[in-house]
Each structure stands twice: as structure tokens, then as C-alpha cells.
């Protein structure tokens, strides 16, 4: 097998950031994507190689044929793309990493644990800011202790946006994660989306409001803590009470596949303006409560959330190439522990 790392969707926002982070670790990426010109432009910035593939099926065929050591997929929505890419990785014996951050996509990869274990390779899902930043704090707070009763995780990303279109990968993923969910009595249960709003005082003294959103963080925090009640929340929830009130109806509408595809295609083409980072740091946050009344709170302080989304898959790829992983399907901190986040520039603040 060759020692290459392939980045699918290599010309996209995450693909370029991952390639830059691989280069910082002395690793060369092969950027795989649909547009040869955009790929070349992206590759020039990092000395990466390029492999044009006109479709996901062509990229999967390339994996089967050329058997890269590690495949990092940035092509969301991962519920739609992961089965095909993971199948190709199984056939090629490649390790697989993705940036999924919704409940359905994480669940689907977890279900492949036994197959990956038998095949002797590693699947890492949720290797982006949201899952890794919050899961890492939970692992840090819960390590070596009995299972807590309650966990709440909050993600507070700070991202500079470049001008351009949002793209189908991002919009498809967002529209696919509008169903309210939380862990109640140890099970995934329906819940109202964008509820349980709290005003958090960040360690730097500033304030932010977060509200519930059933992302991959929910499952990762549940697995890391084994708590009976888990809630995941985000500062990216809409603050308007009107929008929040409309969410249940919108999430029902988005269950219709054809309507969701149409809306995804339309919104993906809308141009967004360049935007500066709203605050100096991004934060992962967790509050953990035990049956004896003890409560612990922890933060992970990071810089730009998109940079971190580049660093995490790059660091995981480096560790997998060095033989530091183990076969099976995992989220990042479940596989490599809380030090992974520190290797990617994070700093813990525990209370
Ligand atoms: N877990 C986290 O915290 C986190 C953080 C950031 C991003 N993400 C997820 O990562 C994904 C990528 O986000 P992004 O901001 O990097 O998006 P992006 O800039 O649009 O990049 C996505 C890439 O995927 C490619 N692509 C999209 N649909 C494809 C298809 N059907 N076949 C082949 N290639 C396809 C695009 O190719 P073209 O260049 O040819 O259009 C593009 O290069 C999203 O699902 C997002 O939700 C997760």
C-alpha cells in the first residue's frame, strides 16, 4: 500500500485547511475533487498533488485501485457519501476519516465498528471542530470516574468566512440535522430543537447564548460519559424567537427528500460575504453532573474553528500513519484521548 493521504473535496474550505495542516506536519496530501483548475490552485498553496475525479463514484473507484493509506472525506452530507467511501476503504484497506457532525452520520459509522475491526483498519468520524472540541472536554472531565447522570455540551465556534457560496456539502449537512434530539434515560429521544437556551459567560468574560441542537456532539458526549441525560447545544442557534418558533415546522418539511434536495441546491448557490471572526477564540464547553451532587465544568480554548477542523483530521492521519490507532470506528477523542485536542492547538480550562 502507498503511504499517501487522500483528501476528498480537496478544493473546498475544509480540504484546503486540512492540506495546509498536513503540510505543517511534513505530510503531502493528494487533493481529490471535481474541478481540475480549482484543485491545481488549492494544491499550489501547499505543494500537494492533485487527482481530478468527476464524481464521488470516480473517487471511490480511485481508492479501490490506488489504495491510499488514509482517506479524509470532506464531502458532506456524510449520511449520503460515507457508505460509498467507507466501502472503497474496506476494499483498499485504507483508514477513513470524515468531518460528520450530525447524529445520523455518526450513528452510521459507529455501526461499521465490527466490520472495520475485522478488516483491521480504522474509521474516525466527527473529526471537525464541533464533535472534537466538546467530546475532548467530556473525556477530560469524566476520565477514571463513574458514569455521571447529566452532561451538557456547548460549542461556540469563531470562524472567519471567505466570500463565496456556502456549497452543497455544508448546506446539505445543516438541513439534514434539523430534527430535535437529546439523550433521555440513556436513549436518543425526540426534543424541541433550539430549546434550553442559556447565557454562558466565557472564560474571557464575554457572554454568549447557546441553545440545543442535536448534532454529532450529542452522541460523542453520550459515548464518552455514559450519562443517562445528555444535551448538546450551539451558539449558532438562531436568536430570533420567531425563527425558533418556526423550526419544528421547518424540520418536518426538510424530512421530504425532494424538498430538501431542492432547498439544498438553491441555498448552496447563494453568495455569502466575507466575514471576520466574531471573537478571538472558539470554545468547546461541558458541564458534567454526578449522582452525589458533584458538578464539574470544563472549557477547551481554540483559535479559528475552521483551522481546528483542518488540524484534527491532519493530526489523526499522522497518528494513523505512525501506527498509533486501533481497528474499529471511533470519534477522535474516543480513539486518541484528550491530548489530541492539545496537539491541535487546544488548551483546557477546568473548574
Ligand atoms: N464537524 C465540524 O465541526 C465541521 C466543520 C467544518 C465542516 N464540516 C463539514 O464538512 C463538510 C465540508 O464543509 P466545507 O465547508 O469544507 O464545504 P465546501 O467548501 O463546500 O467543500 C466541500 C467539497 O466537497 C465537494 N463536493 C460536494 N458535493 C460533492 C459530490 N456530490 N461529489 C464530489 N464532490 C463533492 C466540493 O467539490 P467542488 O469543489 O467540486 O464543488 C467541495 O470541494 C460539510 O459537510 C460540513 O458540514 C464539519
Amino acid at each position: 500500500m502507498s503511504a499517501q493521504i487522500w483528501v476528498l473535496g480537496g478544493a473546498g474550505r475544509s480540504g484546503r485547511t486540512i492540506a495546509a495542516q498536513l503540510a505543517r506536519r511534513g505530510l503531502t496530501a493528494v487533493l481529490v475533487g471535481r474541478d481540475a483548475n480549482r484543485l491545481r490552485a488549492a494544491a499550489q498553496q501547499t505543494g500537494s498533488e492533485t487527482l481530478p475525479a468527476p464524481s464521488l463514484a470516480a473517487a471511490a473507484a480511485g481508492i479501490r485501485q490506488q489504495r491510499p493509506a488514509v482517506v479524509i472525506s470532506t464531502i458532506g452530507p456524510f449520511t449520503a457519501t460515507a457508505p460509498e467511501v467507507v466501502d472503497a476503504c474496506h476494499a483498499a484497506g485504507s483508514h477513513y476519516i470524515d468531518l460528520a457532525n450530525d447524529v445520523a452520520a455518526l450513528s452510521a459509522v459507529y455501526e461499521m465498528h465490527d466490520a472495520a475491526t475485522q478488516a483491521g483498519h480504522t474509521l474516525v468520524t466527527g473529526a471537525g471542530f464541533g464533535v472534537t472540541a466538546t467530546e475532548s472536554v467530556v473525556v477530560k472531565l469524566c476520565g477514571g470516574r463513574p458514569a455521571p447522570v447529566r452532561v451538557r455540551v456547548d460549542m461556540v465556534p469563531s470562524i472567519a468566512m471567505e466570500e463565496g457560496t456556502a456549497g452543497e456539502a455544508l448546506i446539505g449537512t445543516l438541513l439534514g440535522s434539523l430534527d430535535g434530539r437529546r439523550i433521555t434515560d440513556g436513549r436518543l429521544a425526540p426534543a424541541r430543537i433550539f430549546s434550553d437556551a442559556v447565557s454562558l459567560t466565557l472564560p474571557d468574560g464575554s457572554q454568549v447564548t447557546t441553545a440545543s441542537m442535536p448534532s454529532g456532539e450529542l452522541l460523542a458526549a453520550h459515548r464518552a460519559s455514559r450519562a443517562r441525560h445528555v444535551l448538546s447545544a450551539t451558539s449558532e442557534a438562531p436568536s430570533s424567537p420567531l425563527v425558533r418558533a418556526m423550526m419544528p415546522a421547518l424540520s418536518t418539511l426538510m424530512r421530504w427528500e425532494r424538498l430538501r434536495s431542492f432547498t439544498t441546491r438553491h441555498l448552496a448557490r447563494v453568495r455569502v460575504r466575507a466575514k471576520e471572526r466574531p471573537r478571538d477564540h472558539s470554545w468547546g464547553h461541558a458541564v458534567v453532573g454526578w449522582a452525589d451532587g458533584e458538578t464539574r465544568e470544563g472549557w477547551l480554548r481554540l483559535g479559528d474553528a475552521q483551522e481546528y477542523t483542518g488540524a484534527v483530521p491532519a493530526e489523526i492521519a499522522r497518528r494513523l500513519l505512525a501506527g498509533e490507532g486501533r481497528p474499529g470506528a471511533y470519534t477522535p477523542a474516543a480513539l486518541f484521548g484528550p491530548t489530541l485536542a492539545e496537539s491541535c492547538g487546544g488548551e483546557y480550562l477546568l473548574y
Side-chain angles (χ1 to χ4, degrees), residues 271-286:
R271 288 199 76 76
V272 288
R273 292 210 197 119
K275 200 181 81 173
E276 304 236 318
R277 269 159 68 179
R279 60 186 78 79
D280 285 347
H281 295 106
S282 301
W283 301 90
H285 175 242

Side-chain angles (χ1 to χ4, degrees), residues 8-16 32-35 38-39 53-57 59 73-78 81 98-102 126-132 155 159 162 165-174 217 305-306 309:
L8 309 189
R13 278 177 295 263
S14 303
R16 283 176 280 136
V32 184
R34 295 182 290 193
D35 183 323
R38 288 184 60 217
L39 274 183
S55 64
L56 189 68
S73 176
T74 74
I75 305 177
F78 297 95
T81 63
D98 74 29
L99 304 182
N101 55 352
D102 59 280
F129 165 75
V131 172
T132 316
M155 67 144 172
I159 304 180
E162 56 186 30
T165 53
E168 284 188 35
L170 187 60
I171 297 296
T173 302
L174 283 175
E217 288 93 287
Q306 181 67 59
T309 293

Side-chain angles (χ1 to χ4, degrees), residues 134-336:
T134 49
E135 174 195 37
S136 296
V137 181
V138 175
V139 171
K140 186 89 178 164
L141 292 174
C142 294
R145 304 166 76 101
V149 179
R150 241 165 245 292
V151 172
R152 175 181 174 126
V153 290
D154 304 90
M155 67 144 172
V156 183
S158 178
I159 304 180
M161 285 294 287
E162 56 186 30
E163 192 181 333
T165 53
E168 284 188 35
L170 187 60
I171 297 296
T173 302
L174 283 175
L175 293 182
S177 27
L178 294 180
D179 262 345
R181 293 271 189 280
R182 67 173 64 200
I183 302 288
T184 303
D185 285 327
R187 290 171 188 277
L188 197 58
R192 197 178 170 88
I193 193 171
F194 302 144
S195 62
D196 297 82
V198 297
S199 176
L200 290 176
T201 304
L202 304 176
D204 64 11
S206 59
Q207 296 260 320
V208 72
T209 299
T210 65
S212 69
M213 177 153 168
S215 42
E217 288 93 287
L218 182 66
L219 292 191
H222 182 220
R223 287 203 159 205
S225 64
R226 293 167 289 120
R228 292 190 62 73
H229 304 285
V230 184
L231 178 76
S232 67
T234 174
S235 61
E236 302 298 279
S239 52
S240 150
L242 182 63
V243 176
R244 286 189 188 185
M246 284 165 54
M247 285 320 293
L250 187 60
S251 67
T252 304
L253 284 175
M254 286 304 117
R255 278 186 214 135
W256 294 355
E257 177 59 35
R258 288 177 70 177
L259 181 60
R260 192 167 77 215
S261 300
F262 171 80
T263 313
T264 300
R265 284 197 302 279
H266 180 71
L267 290 180
R269 288 197 298 267
V270 172
R271 288 199 76 76
V272 288
R273 292 210 197 119
K275 200 181 81 173
E276 304 236 318
R277 269 159 68 179
R279 60 186 78 79
D280 285 347
H281 295 106
S282 301
W283 301 90
H285 175 242
V287 179
V288 180
W290 280 269
D292 63 3
E294 188 191 4
T295 300
R296 294 188 72 200
E297 180 177 15
W299 297 85
L300 181 71
R301 178 168 55 204
L302 300 154
D304 186 292
Q306 181 67 59
E307 285 299 314
Y308 186 68
T309 293
V312 171
E315 178 61 19
I316 293 171
R318 186 195 71 71
R319 292 182 182 206
L320 291 176
L321 277 182
E324 294 172 22
R326 59 183 189 277
Y330 307 93
T331 41
L335 180 59
F336 290 119

